[in-house]
């Protein structure tokens, strides 16, 4: 077994994933822990000590590199944002170092920039996945690329010669979650397994036909059921298709409105199941997708920082 | 005091408002009761008996006319929808009669129709407010008018020669409620009193500047606060401005896309506070508003049914 050289941690609001990584970026072991929101104030050091005790016993106290909401006001320590345009070198320059029992802990900054509507926008965690994609897919390190990191707050990222130049947050994941859990829209709907089934495709087709105006399309989830045009088992998939289809359609429309060339390919960086939904939504607009596993890119991005220490 | 001739009840999911009404539609007394969702199955008769006991003692068992979700699967009895195009005569033809201890109870149907995206849509309660507006403002009974009934599920209604010809539901109220209560967007935001203040106007201005794409604008509620461009006291008003501004902008854009003439005036039928927000949103697009009190129109609409019994 290769020797681990550092520990990578993607510490979001709801989840922590820790990996023991070798010098080439291979993951030798991994485990999960509580999300940043579940750690009490001042509790980050003890949480880390507890989770790493056996790795420490086997390998010594390796450097720990963290990204995500752990660097926010809700996290261990608030790390200032790097300003776009920013690549690996600029972002690594903002790493915040903590010494914990002699172990160096580095927390990545987020990135602040301007969105396609000309307003301020922020990300925290996604920037590290973007940098990881540059390592695992070196073809992305030159030229212009459009990336999408689907999630609670999806990020559409412009990448130019290896640097994040701007990005736009879409509330797609949170809107779907709120409506599917709390809204009358979901009343009577069956559970949905998140796969691109007939209901999801029906939602995509509605957006393709009627436009990206999600506010005026969402109620169809209920009205179509009452009219016998949508089955309860397809309802949540349909709702997801409206939201994800609306996200993609509105993004492409915004590019057109700005006079930008239509993207021929979008690089998706996310969980495989979400990537599959966005791949289909992009295909419905004739746009190809390259789907990359978000967790793997996160580890690769933290390796990019490690190499710059 | 004029003699009451019937009791009007607008029985929605969350509220019941009962009014003692004379032959001219004047409200002699009124009271509130539990929303339809708070009445246990089979509990509607006893709820009505309890609420009306003293009015019955004074005036006898007057006819009770009800509209709203009381006629849905969640209500007293499910009353089938009238199909658009429909005016007072068509809708009154669908009244469902129940005899309760010798008192006639009439429950209004909702209306089903087609929305501006060509899909099925439904309303239950709003149709009665629209019919009421025809009585209180006879000028609306001829010609074409665009009405907006703002609420949890706002309804944009096309009225032609006194009949509802089509309507579109916007999820504006529910989206705002979900985001302001459950989302990270609202974290740290101060309470908002629902008046068209600086925050609300800033949200309207953003929509006017950046377009109706709410999915990609909502996150600005958080990012602008982090960038120091939006104060916590203005945050919820800003969010409401994005949603209501987005509703209005998308509706006007849809009219343009369908080649319809731009509306010069919208008739708002709703709670005064919501009417005030929509009036300002319409004004930001150069559209005038006539604001009518929704509760008063509801009583007038039930009077229209009473006169057709």
């Amino acid at each position: 077994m290769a020797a681990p050289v550092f520990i990578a941690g993607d510490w979001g609001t709801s989840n922590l994933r820790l990996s023991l990584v070798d010098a080439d970026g291979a993951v030798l072991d991994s485990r999960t822990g509580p999300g940043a929101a579940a750690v009490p104030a001042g509790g980050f050091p003890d949480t880390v000590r507890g989770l790493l005790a056996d790795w420490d016993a086997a390998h010594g106290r390796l450097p720990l590199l963290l990204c995500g909401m752990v660097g926010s006001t809700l996290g261990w320590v608030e790390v200032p944002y790097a300003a776009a345009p920013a690549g690996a070198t600029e972002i690594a320059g903002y790493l915040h170092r903590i010494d914990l029992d002699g172990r160096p802990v580095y927390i990545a900054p987020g990135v602040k920039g301007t969105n396609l509507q000309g307003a301020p926008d922020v990300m925290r965690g996604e920037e590290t996945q973007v940098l990881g994609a540059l390592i695992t897919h070196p073809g992305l390190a030159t030229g212009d690329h459009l990336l999408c990191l689907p999630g609670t707050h999806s990020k559409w990222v412009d990448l130019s010669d290896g640097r994040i130049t701007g990005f736009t947050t879409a509330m797609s994941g949170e809107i779907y979650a709120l409506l599917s859990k709390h809204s009358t829209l979901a009343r009577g709907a069956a559970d949905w397994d998140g796969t691109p089934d007939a209901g999801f495709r029906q939602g995509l087709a509605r957006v393709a036909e009627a436009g990206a105006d999600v506010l005026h399309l969402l109620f169809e989830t209920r009205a179509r059921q009452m009219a016998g045009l949508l089955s309860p088992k397809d309802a949540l998939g349909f709702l997801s298709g409206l939201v994800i289809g609306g996200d993609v359609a509105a993004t492409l429309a915004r590019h057109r409105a700005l006079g930008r060339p239509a993207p021929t390919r979008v690089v998706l960086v996310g969980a495989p199941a979400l990537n599959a939904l966005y791949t289909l939504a992009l295909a419905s607009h004739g746009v190809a997708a390259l789907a990359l596993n978000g967790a793997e890119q996160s580890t690769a991005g933290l390796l990019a920082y490690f190499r710059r220490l």
Side-chain angles (χ1 to χ4, degrees), chain A residues 178-202:
Chain A
L178 289 174
L179 290 172
S180 62
K181 275 180 210 148
H182 299 289
S183 165
T184 53
L185 285 187
R187 190 191 295 156
D191 286 345
W192 178 54
D193 64 1
T195 57
D197 57 6
F200 181 77
R201 287 165 195 265
Q202 195 179 343

Side-chain angles (χ1 to χ4, degrees), chain A residues 31-113:
Chain A
R31 59 187 46 165
T32 59
V39 177
F44 285 88
D46 277 351
T47 302
V48 166
R49 287 184 188 110
L51 287 164
L52 299 188
D54 63 322
W55 284 354
D56 289 352
H59 308 289
R61 289 187 179 137
L62 296 171
L64 172 62
L65 277 78
L66 300 170
C67 67
M69 293 305 280
V70 67
S72 76
T73 50
L74 296 181
W76 191 337
V77 62
E78 187 177 1
V79 184
Y81 293 100
T89 302
E90 290 87 349
I91 295 173
Y94 279 82
L95 287 172
H96 180 93
R97 179 178 169 140
I98 296 168
D99 279 291
L100 182 68
D101 313 327
R103 179 206 315 276
V105 178
Y106 297 90
I107 302 180
V111 172
K112 61 182 177 185

Side-chain angles (χ1 to χ4, degrees), chain A residues 252-264:
Chain A
L252 297 176
R254 169 66 53 175
H255 281 236
R256 282 193 299 276
L258 293 173
R260 293 168 53 141
T264 54

Side-chain angles (χ1 to χ4, degrees), chain A residues 140-228:
Chain A
L140 298 175
T142 52
D144 294 335
H145 304 277
L146 177 61
L147 284 70
C148 175
L149 293 86
T152 303
H153 295 171
S154 298
K155 307 287 182 184
W156 290 87
V157 181
D158 285 315
L159 191 63
S160 186
D161 289 334
R163 302 169 90 204
I164 295 169
T165 54
F167 53 91
T168 302
T169 301
M171 295 283 288
S172 45
E174 183 160 11
I175 292 283
Y176 172 76
L178 289 174
L179 290 172
S180 62
K181 275 180 210 148
H182 299 289
S183 165
T184 53
L185 285 187
R187 190 191 295 156
D191 286 345
W192 178 54
D193 64 1
T195 57
D197 57 6
F200 181 77
R201 287 165 195 265
Q202 195 179 343
L204 291 185
R206 270 305 284 158
V207 171
E209 179 181 57
D213 177 11
V214 168
L215 208 56
H216 291 145
L217 286 175
L218 290 172
F219 190 69
E220 289 189 20
T221 307
R222 185 156 172 74
R224 282 179 175 265
Q225 283 189 78
M226 302 175 80

